[in-house]
């Protein structure tokens, strides 16, 4: 299947679940309207796509697929909250996202802040709710929450804001990106496996498949981020759906500013090769890695 095929399958699978998060009278609330505006603004849904790929690759049955979907919608809510907050004037100050005016441009800064808060809070409620019903999912819920926090995305964003206008080295840039972009990608690639195996605590981290999936997510996360940095200098807002040239405007350290455009492209090729090497190991274990191979090829060349 092509990446477009995977994307359209993911959309058919995911959109009804996202559409059921807020219902009835809740839909009259202005913060809910703002949250749904961003949630439905046309993102690539790449994290849910990865969750489907892991689930299908590791042999997820029909019953568990509904739970993977629940977690996939939850992760997309966390991701969308981060974009709403990142676009605020106090952070990246952006007026274009997913080809549309950003949330605060339409609803104002106060409501946009609340919309992000609401998405994160609702995501946490969902993670608790499913773990109450199925306590064996407690670790998966904790893992998704943790990767959104200080050890993950918030921690990465914190280093990012603190580094603006400063010179940082490649090592700190790796840490920043591993947390800011990589942590949610790790959640996407690994969580479905935890759900399928119902692994708990330490065991969840020890399994060979889980370790390989974590490695895969690291290479995918870095590939995703390096391509993002390249697109910021090479692409066009009409194609990308968000403004370009922002990293230079904000004096941000990126793989392009630290390694140069060619250096970043070389680094991207290395990450893609490493991702493929991990996929080959998973293939030797008997997993069907065709889907992930298609995704990794797409990450090398994506233009939006
Ligand atoms: C506010 C806590 C907090 C964190 C913000 C996500 C983020 C952290 C910042 C966005 C800036 C950025 C360039 C991040 C790196 C790459 C990235 C996450 C891009 C956006 O994700 P896509 O391309 O977006 O999957 P769509 O719109 O397709 O969902």
């Amino acid at each position: 299947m092509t990446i477009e095929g995977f994307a359209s399958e993911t959309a058919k699978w995911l959109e009804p679940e996202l559409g059921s998060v807020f219902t009835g009278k809740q839909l009259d609330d202005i913060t809910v309207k703002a949250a749904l505006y961003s949630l439905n603004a046309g993102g690539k849904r790449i994290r849910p796509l990865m969750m489907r790929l892991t689930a299908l690759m590791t042999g997820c049955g029909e019953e568990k697929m509904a739970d993977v979907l629940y977690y996939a919608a939850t992760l997309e809510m966390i991701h969308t909250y981060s974009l709403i907050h990142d676009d605020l004037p106090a952070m990246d100050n952006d007026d274009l996202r997913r080809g549309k005016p950003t949330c605060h441009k339409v609803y104002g800064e106060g409501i946009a802040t609340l919309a992000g808060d609401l998405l994160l809070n609702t995501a946490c409620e969902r993670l608790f709710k499913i773990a109450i019903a199925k306590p064996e999912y407690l670790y998966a819920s904790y893992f998704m929450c943790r990767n959104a926090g200080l050890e993950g995305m918030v921690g990465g964003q914190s280093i990012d804001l603190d580094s603006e206008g400063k010179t940082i080295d490649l090592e700190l840039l790796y840490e920043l990106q591993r947390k800011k972009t990589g942590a949610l990608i790790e959640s996407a690639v690994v969580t479905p496996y935890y759900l399928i195996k119902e692994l708990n605590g330490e065991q969840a981290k020890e399994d060979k498949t889980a370790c390989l999936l974590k490695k895969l997510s690291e290479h995918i996360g870095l590939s995703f981020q390096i391509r993002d940095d390249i697109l910021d200098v090479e692409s066009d807002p009409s194609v990308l759906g968000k403004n370009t040239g922002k990293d230079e405007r904000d004096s941000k350290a990126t793989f392009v500013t630290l390694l140069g455009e060619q250096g970043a492209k070389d680094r991207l090729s290395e990450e893609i090769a490493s991702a493929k090497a991990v996929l080959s190991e998973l293939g030797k274990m008997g997993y069907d890695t065709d889907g992930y191979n298609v995704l990794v090829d797409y990450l090398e060349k994506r233009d939006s």
Side-chain angles (χ1 to χ4, degrees):
M1 197 184 285
T2 60
I3 192 72
E4 290 78 14
F6 284 126
S8 98
E9 260 189 16
T10 303
K12 268 192 225 130
W13 178 67
L14 182 76
E15 302 312 324
E17 178 71 18
L18 284 178
S20 70
V21 172
F22 300 108
T23 53
K25 252 189 87 56
Q26 293 179 330
L27 297 171
D28 298 334
D29 184 279
I30 188 69
T31 301
V32 172
K33 286 183 205 277
L36 289 178
Y37 169 79
S38 291
L39 204 53
N40 297 324
K44 293 185 289 299
R45 311 299 198 205
I46 195 110
R47 293 156 194 79
L49 190 154
M50 289 173 199
M51 294 184 81
R52 250 179 92 79
L53 288 181
T54 296
L56 296 173
M57 180 174 82
T58 54
C60 185
E62 215 33 63
E63 183 239 328
K64 291 272 164 143
M65 205 61 188
D67 293 341
V68 175
L69 171 61
Y70 181 92
Y71 275 89
T74 306
L75 186 61
E76 191 64 13
M77 291 165 70
I78 295 174
H79 167 60
T80 302
Y81 120 73
S82 79
L83 299 181
I84 295 173
H85 280 191
D86 187 64
D87 289 335
L88 286 168
M91 292 210 194
D92 237 19
N93 193 15
D94 250 306
D95 53 15
L96 188 67
R97 169 72 65 184
R98 295 173 163 175
K100 297 201 169 79
T102 44
C103 193
H104 67 271
K105 282 282 159 194
V106 179
Y107 289 94
E109 288 175 39
I111 294 296
T113 306
L114 275 182
D117 293 341
L118 176 68
L119 286 169
L120 176 61
N121 211 86
T122 309
C124 291
E125 283 176 38
R126 286 167 65 89
L127 293 175
F128 273 114
K129 197 173 165 191
I130 195 163
I132 290 168
K134 299 184 180 182
E136 65 273 25
Y137 287 171
L138 201 53
Y139 185 77
S141 284
Y142 158 77
F143 184 70
M144 195 169 273
C145 237
R146 189 208 63 170
N147 277 6
L150 191 61
E151 292 308 314
M153 185 175 64
V154 171
Q157 181 80 341
S158 176
I159 300 172
D160 197 8
L161 293 189
D162 192 38
S163 306
E164 263 177 38
K166 295 182 189 162
T167 310
I168 67 165
D169 60 17
L170 204 51
E171 197 184 333
L172 188 59
L173 182 65
Y174 274 116
E175 184 186 343
L176 187 170
Q177 303 304 359
R178 186 175 51 74
K179 291 181 171 170
K180 188 175 96 166
T181 313
L184 288 203
I185 290 180
E186 184 184 65
S187 289
V189 174
V190 181
T191 306
Y193 182 67
Y194 289 163
L195 299 181
I196 291 162
K197 298 291 282 186
E198 293 176 1
L199 294 169
N200 281 302
E202 284 307 303
Q203 263 178 300
K205 298 172 208 136
E206 299 303 323
D207 177 284
K208 184 172 178 197
T209 303
C211 291
L212 284 173
L213 287 172
K214 279 194 180 191
K215 257 191 178 177
L216 176 66
S217 78
E218 271 174 39
H219 298 304
I220 287 181
L222 274 169
S223 303
F224 191 83
Q225 182 61 54
I226 297 169
R227 188 71 192 143
D228 214 69
D229 292 349
I230 294 170
L231 288 171
D232 187 68
V233 290
E234 283 191 350
S235 188
D236 192 75
S238 64
V239 181
L240 206 53
K242 59 182 181 180
N243 291 320
T244 51
K246 292 186 301 172
D247 297 333
E248 197 184 339
R249 178 199 75 186
D250 298 334
S251 313
K252 281 211 169 159
T254 71
F255 287 99
V256 171
T257 59
L258 289 196
L259 301 173
E261 250 176 274
Q262 191 51 50
K265 284 178 184 168
D266 294 344
R267 198 73 202 81
L268 175 59
S269 301
E270 283 167 33
E271 289 302 327
I272 296 288
S274 301
K276 293 228 162 185
V278 177
L279 286 173
S280 159
E281 282 192 58
L282 284 163
K284 281 182 204 144
M285 290 174 73
Y287 292 116
D288 178 354
T289 58
D290 288 356
Y292 261 118
N293 272 298
V294 170
L295 175 79
V296 168
D297 286 336
Y298 157 77
L299 290 178
E300 187 171 21
K301 300 186 183 76
R302 74 183 174 98
D303 55 14
S304 69

